[in-house]
Amino acid sequence: MRRILVTSALPYANGPLHFGHILEAVQTDIWARAMRLAGHECHYVCADDTHGTPIMLKAQAEGVTPEQLIAGIEAEHRSTYAGFLIKHDLFHSTHSDENRRCTEKLFKALDAAGYISRRSIRQSYDETAQMFLPDRYVKGTCPRCNALDQYGDSCEVCGATYSPSELKDPVSVISGTPPVERESEHLFFRLDAFEGMLKEWTRSGAIHESVANKLEEWFSAGLRDWDISRDAPYFGFEIPGHPGKYFYVWLDAPVGYMAASLALAERDSLNFDGWWSADSGAELHHFIGKDILYFHTLFWPAVLQGAGFRRPTQVHAHGFLTVNGQKMSKSRGTFITGRRYLERLPPEPLRYYFAAKLGPGIDDMDLSLDDFVSRFNSDVVGKLVNIASRCAGFIARGGGRLASELPDPALYAEFAAACPRIAALYESRDFIAAIREIAGLADRANQYIDTQKPWTLAKDPSRASDVLAVCTQGINLFRALMTYLAPVLPAMAEQAGRFLGHPITRWTDVVHPLLGSELAVYEPLATRLDPKVVATLIEETPTSAAAPVSAPSAAQAAAAPPAKAPAAPSPAAATVGAKGEITIDDFAKLDLRVGKVLDCGLVDGSDKLLRLQIDLGNGDVRQIFSGIRESYTPESMVGRNVVVIANLKPRKMRFGISQGMVLCASNDNPGVFLVSPDDGGIAGMSVT
């Protein structure tokens, strides 16, 4: 039996849980339940991430204390998680005595080992609010392109990165007054001291290969000292021996995993050191979104190693979630909260849909509401539940007891033999493949019942034993399927266990069929989703803000390493294909120009985009993001002539404005191909 501690990323305590949070919690919960079904000791802990400047300011704006604010948010988070059947062994808070104790212990160990340095830095200071300002709490005019109302770390128009002091006409977001610069001593964690260890660990199988490849960019850029302190006023834990200095939220937030497990261990008399000691034989698994990889795969393992604790066994990252092909947006109504969903629909359809779309990698996934309805209605109601409902009635009319033997033991053996494969797919987080295998077995079960036709046999009283035998076979096939889906549909599995008279507790339950036992009265396990009800999840709101669903909180986003923005859906290259007929007048609206690529580089945080600087002639130089990275390298693009849609409305992205579109084409082969002018093309030439 393995001893496993599982965590999911801590939601920030500044708002309700949305579908991005639910996706991650469902993935973690399914995995933890699968480990328990395998007979392992597996504990799942989580907590609210409660510290930082945004919490402090939001509490001030609402006229409450930070403690009152986070208490209300925690109650909402607990309720929503429970509504989605997330089985936390303990849900905690980073604003807890356990977290304070653990954070101070780690800091003192790091300091004693020489991994904490001290130096003065200059920061923006709001004299009206009397506080130092994070970079994104300063706004002004971009020093490069003169765009107005830009944050103090980067320009969303031209993509330039800079410090707040470089902004023109800077003002504090808090008070609206110009900030001044003040010097303050800060404490830094020496991350570069762990570069060798981290390179080895990231290639040890602890993270997905695609994640390890991504981290090479940070290793190439060089690991920097990590500022782990913040000046008062700040909502958090004061650093021992440093009055007026507080632990930065990204130090004590991951310590929340440790603190939650400490609270669990103290509550239930469990072995805390067995999870966290350097020589621990237990396993530690973190489930996170790919936007916070830096903190969990570089910073956190280094902190643990430096303080004398164990590193994570594995860090499992997932991609972003879109809804109906669009990123979550309040203006489009696709920013769906967990509470909004639960007010309309039961939790298990969404759990099933997420499982059917989640693989072991970090690919983004889309929640299509039409596909959501059809998949659940077809797979769960039409196939799985249909088996039990069709067979239960015949068995009830025959006395309510299963037959003493199966008419087709070979078929049942086929279902039971699938157990190790399905269990292994769950463990590897290849839920897509597990659901596909289970759905295939459900088809086999329905084919058996359709072939045997117990409803036809029941018309002949002399065939009563045959009806019972066929339906006993069907109920046992249903039981195997329900066991395999128990991590995904836990409430349904529990109800099925009551109906069968045998609770579903282990994968090995399927080894032997149920024979001769009495069934309880069958009650419907699921009903079909109503598309009209599902459609009400999308609701237009007056807010126009949009957010990536796995994005960190405002404090966390502001803390991300410069130019390491989370991945974003890439702007599609213009692709020639069957997209619907247009007229010559439609085509004439396009201003197609030949442009020369002056510079090209990768876009940090995106696996698809290249950032192009393109000269369209007459001094018109455009920045264009193009989703061609899978087909072209930056080096191959410099100096190339390309065709650009020059009159496309600029598109605002997190890492800048895309001021046009590079024309590409595709066919049945993977990848895209640039549409290029002939050798006579020069920058600025119109394409007709």
Side-chain angles (χ1 to χ4, degrees):
M1 180 180 70
R2 292 152 57 186
R3 192 164 185 255
I4 306 170
L5 181 65
V6 184
T7 76
S8 53
L10 313 185
Y12 200 56
N14 67 340
L17 299 175
H18 54 61
F19 266 18
H21 297 114
I22 304 307
L23 168 68
E24 181 170 288
V26 166
Q27 182 188 34
T28 313
D29 186 69
I30 289 173
W31 194 85
R33 288 178 183 272
M35 293 301 99
R36 297 184 192 113
L37 281 168
H40 304 307
E41 179 188 341
C42 183
H43 299 279
Y44 175 16
V45 298
C46 193
D48 266 348
D49 179 7
T50 60
H51 289 156
T53 303
I55 296 290
M56 178 182 71
L57 296 178
K58 183 171 184 177
Q60 290 175 0
E62 295 187 6
V64 297
T65 66
E67 289 82 0
Q68 290 172 323
L69 174 69
I70 64 176
I73 295 292
E74 182 180 337
E76 190 276 339
H77 286 182
R78 286 178 179 271
S79 173
T80 302
Y81 278 137
F84 281 98
L85 310 178
I86 307 302
K87 189 178 181 181
H88 294 121
D89 289 84
L90 187 138
F91 188 82
H92 209 38
S93 167
T94 58
H95 193 63
S96 64
D97 178 65
E98 294 87 357
N99 205 39
R100 183 191 299 274
R101 287 153 51 194
C102 288
T103 302
E104 291 181 356
K105 183 174 183 178
L106 264 70
F107 172 75
K108 290 176 181 178
L110 294 171
D111 198 17
Y115 296 124
I116 302 296
S117 63
R118 296 158 175 80
R119 66 174 182 268
S120 292
I121 62 172
R122 295 188 66 81
Q123 290 178 277
S124 297
Y125 185 82
D126 186 325
E127 293 182 306
T128 301
Q130 297 187 337
M131 63 179 291
F132 285 98
L133 299 170
D135 290 352
R136 292 183 69 83
Y137 278 76
V138 182
K139 279 192 170 184
T141 301
C142 173
R144 190 168 87 175
C145 73
N146 293 320
L148 302 176
D149 201 34
Q150 297 303 307
Y151 287 112
D153 56 354
S154 63
C155 176
E156 294 182 336
V157 175
C158 71
T161 59
Y162 41 72
S163 67
S165 62
E166 297 176 89
L167 279 175
K168 299 177 182 178
D169 303 318
V171 295
S172 165
V173 171
I174 298 172
S175 68
T177 60
V180 299
E181 280 206 342
R182 285 193 181 180
E183 196 169 87
S184 175
E185 183 179 79
H186 276 227
L187 285 73
F188 292 81
F189 172 63
R190 294 180 49 221
L191 183 61
D192 63 333
F194 299 88
E195 181 173 347
M197 178 276 290
L198 290 170
K199 285 184 174 179
E200 174 275 325
W201 180 79
T202 56
R203 292 294 181 182
S204 68
I207 57 178
H208 195 271
E209 183 180 1
S210 62
V211 175
N213 293 337
K214 173 64 182 174
L215 295 183
E216 288 295 334
E217 297 178 19
W218 281 311
F219 287 129
S220 298
L223 301 181
R224 299 168 296 167
D225 287 356
W226 192 258
D227 189 343
I228 62 168
S229 63
R230 291 295 184 268
D231 293 282
Y234 191 81
F235 181 57
F237 295 142
E238 194 169 34
I239 302 175
H242 299 271
K245 303 291 182 182
Y246 289 78
F247 289 117
Y248 174 44
V249 62
W250 264 112
L251 178 67
D252 68 46
V255 179
Y257 303 137
M258 183 179 285
S261 63
L262 176 60
L264 176 65
E266 292 179 344
R267 186 192 72 185
D268 295 351
S269 301
L270 300 172
N271 184 3
F272 171 81
D273 291 334
W275 286 319
W276 292 98
S277 66
D279 58 353
S280 169
E283 300 175 35
L284 173 62
H285 293 259
H286 296 311
F287 284 77
I288 63 168
K290 66 182 181 182
D291 53 314
I292 51 176
L293 283 170
Y294 189 98
F295 307 102
H296 285 80
T297 59
L298 296 177
F299 181 60
W300 179 231
V303 166
L304 289 171
Q305 175 95 355
F309 291 93
R310 57 90 47 77
R311 299 169 300 184
T313 305
Q314 286 188 305
V315 176
H316 310 295
H318 61 81
F320 295 120
L321 175 69
T322 56
V323 178
N324 284 344
Q326 299 176 331
K327 71 178 183 179
M328 287 180 63
S329 165
K330 291 181 179 178
S331 63
R332 299 188 187 103
T334 53
F335 192 88
I336 306 173
T337 66
R339 181 53 50 196
R340 179 173 178 80
Y341 175 94
L342 292 172
E343 288 170 352
R344 291 160 174 76
L345 296 163
E348 289 182 299
L350 189 64
R351 288 178 64 103
Y352 182 82
Y353 190 80
F354 281 160
K357 303 275 281 187
L358 277 165
I362 58 173
D363 295 334
D364 297 341
M365 65 171 285
D366 182 58
L367 168 59
S368 163
L369 295 185
D370 290 341
D371 185 41
F372 167 56
V373 171
S374 62
R375 189 178 294 239
F376 182 78
N377 287 349
S378 173
D379 289 5
V380 178
V381 180
K383 295 179 182 179
L384 176 68
V385 173
N386 192 44
I387 300 170
S389 62
R390 288 203 288 183
C391 294
F394 290 114
I395 293 175
R397 288 195 289 272
R401 189 173 293 275
L402 295 170
S404 59
E405 60 182 44
L406 295 177
D408 193 343
L411 178 59
Y412 184 80
E414 178 186 331
F415 274 54
C419 183
R421 297 195 305 274
I422 292 172
L425 290 172
Y426 274 116
E427 176 158 7
S428 65
R429 304 174 334 283
D430 197 349
F431 298 169
I432 297 175
I435 295 298
R436 187 183 303 120
E437 176 116 1
I438 297 166
L441 291 174
D443 286 336
R444 294 274 287 116
N446 280 287
Q447 288 167 6
Y448 170 81
I449 295 171
D450 289 341
T451 299
Q452 298 300 319
K453 294 181 173 57
W455 51 88
T456 300
L457 295 176
K459 295 177 182 178
D460 183 351
S462 67
R463 304 292 300 274
S465 62
D466 294 331
V467 173
L468 180 62
V470 168
C471 291
T472 295
Q473 180 88 31
I475 288 296
N476 275 281
L477 299 182
F478 163 78
R479 174 174 174 256
L481 294 169
M482 198 70 256
T483 300
Y484 298 152
L485 283 171
V488 180
L489 307 173
M492 195 179 299
E494 184 177 348
Q495 184 180 345
R498 292 194 296 268
F499 160 65
L500 296 167
H502 290 77
I504 295 172
T505 58
R506 291 286 186 272
W507 295 129
T508 51
D509 291 345
V510 303
V511 172
H512 302 291
L514 295 180
L515 297 171
S517 58
E518 188 173 355
L519 299 181
V521 175
Y522 176 78
E523 296 179 357
L525 295 170
T527 57
R528 297 176 65 83
L529 294 176
D530 183 344
K532 294 180 180 178
V533 175
V534 172
T536 66
L537 292 173
I538 304 295
E539 180 181 64
E540 295 293 326
T541 67
T543 306
S544 60
V549 299
S550 290
S553 66
Q556 296 163 344
K564 298 298 181 186
S570 65
T575 304
V576 178
K579 303 294 186 181
E581 290 185 347
I582 63 173
T583 68
I584 190 66
D585 292 333
D586 294 325
F587 184 77
K589 296 177 182 178
L590 299 179
D591 180 10
L592 301 178
R593 300 286 182 92
V594 175
K596 186 172 184 177
V597 179
L598 303 179
D599 188 34
C600 182
L602 301 177
V603 176
D604 290 320
S606 173
D607 296 325
K608 299 178 182 179
L609 293 178
L610 292 180
R611 184 198 301 268
L612 304 164
Q613 294 291 331
I614 301 178
D615 181 6
L616 295 183
N618 298 319
D620 185 3
V621 177
R622 304 281 187 92
Q623 172 179 265
I624 297 177
F625 295 99
S626 183
I628 58 174
R629 181 171 170 178
E630 63 180 348
S631 302
Y632 297 91
T633 64
E635 295 77 16
S636 70
M637 290 300 299
V638 177
R640 182 190 290 266
N641 284 349
V642 295
V643 177
V644 172
I645 302 177
N647 61 338
L648 188 68
K649 182 178 179 180
R651 179 181 177 187
K652 185 176 180 181
M653 306 177 72
R654 287 192 299 277
F655 21 72
I657 297 293
S658 187
Q659 299 167 301
M661 181 176 286
V662 175
L663 199 64
C664 296
S666 66
N667 56 21
D668 293 336
N669 296 317
V672 294
F673 306 93
L674 288 166
V675 176
S676 300
D678 59 31
D679 293 339
I682 59 173
M685 176 183 291
S686 295
V687 180
T688 59

